[in-house]
């Protein structure tokens, strides 16, 4: 009877750890989701959940060897870091001299550590680490936009799309290439059944108000119409 009660308590404790891992993974993933990152809610929830479960297995799944001198309950959990390295590497992209996605890779790394904390039963540590991680992602971004907008390592990426008359497309294309020295990509495509061309480009802007700056630059180019602009975040 006592053994059955202990098993029930362990199972309930595990379920609480797993549930907390899902909640904390959601908290970090939500911040990534609202900033339009490829690794968002589902990825961070699953990373945190998986790390928690692997840690629980590492601790509880091999009771036969629990008291063996060769026992190493951290062996499985240690491999989590290797797996997260592969996932994080897939989120890092390079465009020319710029590298994007490092912050998202770091959030996956910290999310895995939070999941491991939950699996070890350190719930307070997991919650505290999540609060710190989300605060860093939100507050430091505000600080960067306010004070570091002129830094050479902190350009603002602006994605622009617009239509123009097909006859003026080549001239406008050339003006864009000469006006914006930090273009990471530019494409021109003929609109079907219309005598118009759609041009898309992404530029790095060193200005506190990048959208306003881009608007002022484009309004001096004749032939541009139906402009759409979006600031991209890391």
């Amino acid at each position: 009877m006592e053994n059955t009660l202990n098993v029930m308590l362990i199972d309930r404790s595990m379920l609480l750890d797993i549930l907390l891992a899902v909640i904390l993974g959601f908290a970090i993933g939500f911040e990534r989701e609202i900033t339009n990152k490829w690794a968002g809610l589902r990825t961070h929830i699953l990373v945190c959940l998986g790390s928690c479960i692997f840690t629980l297995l590492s601790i509880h799944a091999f009771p036969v060897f629990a008291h063996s001198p060769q026992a190493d309950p951290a062996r499985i959990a240690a491999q989590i870091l290797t797996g997260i390295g592969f996932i994080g590497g897939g989120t890092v992209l390079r465009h020319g001299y710029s590298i994007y996605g490092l912050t998202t890779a770091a959030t996956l790394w910290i999310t895995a550590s939070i999941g491991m904390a939950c699996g070890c039963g350190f719930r307070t540590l997991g919650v505290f680490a999540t609060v710190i991680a989300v605060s860093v992602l939100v507050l430091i971004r505000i600080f960067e936009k306010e004070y570091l907008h002129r830094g050479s390592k902190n350009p603002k990426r602006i994605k622009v799309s617009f239509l123009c008359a097909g006859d003026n497309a080549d001239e406008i294309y050339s003006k864009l290439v000469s006006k914006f020295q930090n273009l990471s990509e530019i494409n021109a495509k003929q609109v079907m059944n219309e005598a118009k061309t759609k041009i898309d480009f992404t530029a790095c802007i060193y200005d506190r108000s990048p959208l306003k700056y881009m608007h002022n630059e484009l309004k001096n180019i004749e032939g541009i119409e139906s402009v759409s602009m979006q600031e991209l975040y890391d």
Side-chain angles (χ1 to χ4, degrees), residues 169-184:
D170 291 339
E171 180 181 354
I172 293 176
Y173 190 97
S174 299
K175 287 183 178 180
L176 291 174
V177 172
S178 61
K179 180 180 287 290
F180 301 106
Q181 302 299 321
N182 295 315
L183 288 177
S184 60

Side-chain angles (χ1 to χ4, degrees), residues 117-184:
C118 293
C120 291
F122 298 146
R123 299 169 187 166
T124 302
L125 175 62
V127 172
F128 182 75
T130 302
V131 171
I132 294 298
V134 174
S135 298
V136 167
L137 290 171
V138 175
L139 299 180
I140 298 301
R141 179 184 298 111
I142 296 174
F143 176 82
E144 289 175 340
K145 293 179 71 173
E146 188 68 24
Y147 298 104
L148 303 181
H149 57 277
R150 300 298 296 180
S152 60
K153 292 178 64 177
N154 191 47
K156 306 301 181 183
R157 289 195 302 148
I158 303 296
K159 183 176 181 180
V160 181
S161 299
F162 62 84
L163 294 175
C164 63
D167 297 337
N168 298 332
D170 291 339
E171 180 181 354
I172 293 176
Y173 190 97
S174 299
K175 287 183 178 180
L176 291 174
V177 172
S178 61
K179 180 180 287 290
F180 301 106
Q181 302 299 321
N182 295 315
L183 288 177
S184 60

Side-chain angles (χ1 to χ4, degrees), residues 105-116:
T107 60
L108 291 171
W109 182 63
I110 191 66
T111 299
S113 70
I114 291 170
M116 292 180 69

Side-chain angles (χ1 to χ4, degrees), residues 16-196:
L16 289 176
D17 293 336
I18 291 172
L19 179 60
L20 181 61
V22 171
I23 294 173
L24 299 182
F26 175 90
I28 297 179
F30 181 74
E31 190 281 336
R32 294 284 85 189
E33 191 74 37
I34 61 177
T35 50
N36 200 29
K37 299 298 176 293
W38 290 108
L41 276 174
R42 290 176 295 176
T43 304
H44 286 81
I45 291 174
L46 291 176
V47 165
C48 199
L49 174 62
S51 299
C52 178
I53 292 176
F54 275 122
T55 303
L56 288 171
L57 290 173
S58 184
I59 296 173
H60 301 289
F62 309 101
V64 175
F65 305 101
H67 302 290
S68 171
Q70 290 80 27
D72 185 8
R75 181 175 299 175
I76 295 178
Q79 304 308 311
I80 295 173
L81 299 178
T82 303
I84 293 303
F86 282 103
I87 297 176
T91 67
V92 179
L93 301 174
R94 178 174 180 177
H95 294 282
Y97 294 102
S98 300
I99 298 177
Y100 307 104
L102 289 175
T103 301
T104 300
T107 60
L108 291 171
W109 182 63
I110 191 66
T111 299
S113 70
I114 291 170
M116 292 180 69
C118 293
C120 291
F122 298 146
R123 299 169 187 166
T124 302
L125 175 62
V127 172
F128 182 75
T130 302
V131 171
I132 294 298
V134 174
S135 298
V136 167
L137 290 171
V138 175
L139 299 180
I140 298 301
R141 179 184 298 111
I142 296 174
F143 176 82
E144 289 175 340
K145 293 179 71 173
E146 188 68 24
Y147 298 104
L148 303 181
H149 57 277
R150 300 298 296 180
S152 60
K153 292 178 64 177
N154 191 47
K156 306 301 181 183
R157 289 195 302 148
I158 303 296
K159 183 176 181 180
V160 181
S161 299
F162 62 84
L163 294 175
C164 63
D167 297 337
N168 298 332
D170 291 339
E171 180 181 354
I172 293 176
Y173 190 97
S174 299
K175 287 183 178 180
L176 291 174
V177 172
S178 61
K179 180 180 287 290
F180 301 106
Q181 302 299 321
N182 295 315
L183 288 177
S184 60
E185 59 179 316
I186 181 170
N187 300 291
K189 183 178 180 181
Q190 183 72 33
V191 179
M192 294 182 62
N193 302 323
E194 295 186 31
K196 294 183 181 295

